[in-house]
Amino acid sequence: MNDDAIHALRQAARLQAARRHPDALLRSMGYGRVNAQRRARLARVLNDDLLGLDHGEFDFRFDSLGFARALCEALDLPVDMVEAGLTGLHQLVARRRAYAPSMFVDTGFKRKSEPVFVLAAMEGKRWISFERTFRDLPAIQQIRTAGEHAREHFEMHGGVLPLWGAIQRYVFFHAPERSLWLAPDGRVIENGPECESSRAMLSANWRLINSDQVID
């Protein structure tokens, strides 16, 4: 994935578009009738770092990729720049959609007599999510950032998660079926076993699906 190509395309598109009237630009893209909705889409795409490729829009003329390509052609951007930039953007979008890293707060919890609906309601408290841009960081930076989040989370909660108990460690799921154990201070636990988490969930008839040992 070429970040330079993405940046070059994004900057060139914005610079050239700023020199054109939005209505004239939309007509150059093939729209016979210009309305507020199409103007809004043009502005949204130009302001988006992914040029709208992650939006999944379709206006009966262009989908997201088609709109971006038509925009670049209407702006007379170099073909090589357009192809390299759009290819990089497509790869970036695919990567973002492929897997969303997350972190599980492990307290070694085992269910005793806690009500099912209470467990389900508190489930989100033992998961830490990351911003969309997190997954685009190099692997080593992801681990460092996850460690910082773990340390901050531990300090913020005083080492105890309501209902679930004392925090023992954090499990960072960084790729499909891949995880790392992090200590409360954010350090990677060497040779920590691969693990899976089970979520406390309710079925349609309010039956707990998984509520036993959190870390297998």
Side-chain angles (χ1 to χ4, degrees):
M1 186 172 61
N2 193 328
D3 292 339
D4 291 338
I6 294 174
H7 178 74
L9 177 63
R10 189 166 53 216
Q11 293 302 105
R14 290 171 177 171
L15 178 62
Q16 294 301 320
R19 299 172 178 172
R20 303 277 296 275
H21 191 284
D23 290 7
L25 182 52
L26 285 165
R27 293 191 182 94
S28 296
M29 293 171 61
Y31 289 104
R33 184 172 62 89
V34 176
N35 55 30
Q37 185 176 6
R38 289 170 178 170
R39 294 188 191 99
R41 184 180 185 186
L42 176 61
R44 188 164 56 250
V45 168
L46 287 169
N47 288 324
D48 182 34
D49 286 343
L50 298 177
L51 294 182
L53 266 65
D54 197 27
H55 291 172
E57 292 187 69
F58 180 67
D59 60 5
F60 298 100
R61 184 176 186 87
F62 294 120
D63 60 10
S64 297
L65 179 59
F67 189 94
R69 187 180 296 280
L71 172 61
C72 292
E73 292 177 354
L75 293 171
D76 295 322
L77 299 182
V79 175
D80 290 346
M81 173 190 288
V82 173
E83 292 306 315
L86 290 180
T87 296
L89 284 170
H90 179 74
Q91 293 173 347
L92 180 55
V93 169
R95 181 180 175 185
R96 288 186 175 185
R97 290 176 175 173
Y99 187 79
S102 60
M103 190 154 60
F104 180 74
V105 185
D106 174 27
T107 62
F109 176 81
K110 289 184 178 181
R111 187 190 177 204
K112 296 178 181 178
S113 59
E114 296 82 1
V116 170
F117 70 90
V118 174
L119 292 174
M122 295 291 286
E123 172 65 21
K125 299 296 184 182
R126 55 179 184 169
W127 285 93
I128 299 173
S129 58
F130 301 93
E131 296 181 354
R132 282 177 45 179
T133 54
F134 175 84
R135 69 192 76 178
D136 300 319
L137 297 173
I140 188 63
Q141 187 59 46
Q142 286 191 13
I143 296 172
R144 289 172 180 165
T145 302
E148 293 171 1
H149 278 61
R151 183 173 62 255
E152 293 172 357
H153 181 275
F154 187 84
E155 293 174 354
M156 181 184 301
H157 291 84
V160 179
L161 206 59
L163 176 68
W164 303 110
I167 299 172
Q168 298 179 7
R169 63 186 67 83
Y170 293 82
V171 188
F172 175 43
F173 294 92
H174 55 91
E177 300 181 2
R178 301 284 297 183
S179 61
L180 288 173
W181 285 34
L182 302 175
D185 63 3
R187 293 178 299 106
V188 174
I189 299 177
E190 297 292 338
N191 301 318
E194 292 291 332
C195 59
E196 297 179 355
S197 66
S198 61
R199 292 176 179 266
M201 298 179 294
L202 293 173
S203 66
N205 63 351
W206 291 78
R207 181 174 59 85
L208 191 64
I209 303 300
N210 280 314
S211 62
D212 297 327
Q213 183 76 23
V214 172
I215 300 299
D216 296 330

